[in-house]
Amino acid sequence: MTSARAESTTRGSGPLPWGEVWGQDDAVAQLQAAASDPAQLAHAWLITGPPGSGRSTLAYAFAAALIAEPGDENAMRQVIARTHPDLTSLRTEGVIISIKDARALVERSYFSPSLGRYRVMVMEDADRMVERTSNVLLKALEEPPENTVWILCAPSDADLLPTIRSRVRILRLREPDVADVARLIEARTGVDAAVAEQSARLAQRHIGMAQRLATDAASRERREQTLRGVLGVRGVGDAVEVAARIVQLATDDAKALTAARDESEREALLRTLGVTPGAAVPPAVRGQLSALEDDQKRRATRSLRDGIDRVLTDLESLYRDTLMRQFGRDTDLINRELASDIDRLAAAWSAQRTLAVLDAIAETRTNLQGNAAPALALESMLITVATGRTL
């Protein structure tokens, strides 16, 4: 490994504003040049990379470099903390970005910078726009103000409309190696090297997920139980039972992630409205409380669907390993802990059946994005797992 790459593997608290960006030296160099030279600066950027690759971290570092004068660390910290007046950001906590939120973002993009060199608009979940919402954004990208820069983030440029892609400069992030992620997780969390390697491998190099697996043995156990449950599906009854279990585990996980935040937000709102703890909520403020609860429900829905999507990603890794075995590949297994089960499955199934299951998983992901009922979508997929036939 080169010295530059070794440095990027351990970076995490270096000089502002790039200190928190990890493993993306080429991207950082390109954005540093753009921030310092107007001739290299595009009015709109799309940062793409797999989940956990650091798209958002890089976007805010770039925003800080654009807004702050060189050496103004206070302004840089404000941008990275999302509190600078010349930064406007949008990260939806719902399943999709609403057209209302997109319009509000576009409106602010026409404001001149108040303190910094540029006004920067960051959209973290650009892949969550439906076509009508994308068209709202398109108008702003076609005629941008002189000192406004857009930074969009998405897993892939294919997730956006071609008309959007044609108006942005695309910056693709590199996917880190398992060993790189393992070293980072070991340094950040202090777990031993074996746990860090296992977590990085099972998370498929998703840094945030790897850190969670490394620091939460229960998460690792739930993942293994889910995969073993799917491996045990033999018929329709098993499919229904395992689908319900997956949805319940994802629901419990979503509640655990959002419950404390929901209660904190509710208490903060009531305190702001002058309602003492434990007192009855006056009718005059119930509308605001109801609006907060609606936002929290949307966030819970997204959290649940993200959790199920993570299960689908884990299942893809399981059947990817199976296919690798069927084609004679004895290395690079993601799920090494299940190697004997994978070998038995690879011997019992044809490669065509494994591919049919992978197709069913991909179709399930698409159906869930279209608001299909999670339990029914999973049941249909697991029946394909059990029988090799699609419904």
Side-chain angles (χ1 to χ4, degrees), residues 30 65 108 110 162 211 217-218 245 252 284 298 302 307 337 376:
Q30 185 173 342
R108 288 195 62 84
Y110 290 101
Q211 186 160 325
R245 194 184 314 154
D252 293 343
R298 284 191 287 271
R302 170 171 174 173
E337 294 74 15
L376 293 177

Side-chain angles (χ1 to χ4, degrees), residues 111-261:
F111 295 178
S112 297
S114 58
L115 298 175
R117 299 186 300 151
Y118 293 92
R119 176 166 296 279
V120 179
M121 320 301 294
V122 177
M123 181 180 283
E124 294 189 37
D125 301 288
D127 56 306
R128 292 183 181 265
M129 291 187 291
V130 297
E131 184 172 352
R132 191 163 65 109
T133 307
S134 295
N135 288 334
V136 171
L137 177 62
L138 180 62
K139 294 177 182 178
L141 296 181
E142 287 175 336
E143 301 176 0
E146 182 179 355
N147 292 318
T148 293
V149 177
W150 284 86
I151 308 173
L152 312 182
C153 301
S156 166
D157 54 304
D159 294 318
L160 278 74
L161 293 178
T163 49
I164 296 287
R165 298 200 300 265
S166 67
R167 288 162 174 80
V168 299
R169 182 178 297 177
I170 299 173
L171 181 64
R172 295 182 176 89
L173 302 189
R174 65 174 286 270
E175 195 168 1
D177 296 332
V178 168
D180 289 343
V181 176
R183 280 189 286 271
L184 178 70
I185 297 304
E186 186 178 0
R188 282 185 176 178
T189 67
V191 299
D192 63 49
V195 171
E197 186 279 333
Q198 180 193 39
S199 301
R201 173 169 40 83
L202 296 182
Q204 297 176 67
R205 297 167 287 189
H206 185 301
I207 297 169
M209 183 55 63
Q211 186 160 325
R212 186 179 182 198
L213 289 173
T215 56
D216 185 358
S219 293
R220 299 196 298 275
E221 180 65 23
R222 281 195 299 272
R223 183 188 186 279
E224 183 170 343
Q225 286 180 355
T226 298
L227 295 190
R228 289 192 182 280
V230 172
L231 285 168
V233 170
R234 296 290 182 268
V236 174
D238 292 338
V240 172
E241 180 183 345
V242 172
R245 194 184 314 154
I246 290 172
V247 172
Q248 188 59 54
L249 285 172
T251 301
D252 293 343
D253 209 29
K255 287 180 179 178
L257 289 172
T258 60
R261 181 178 174 185

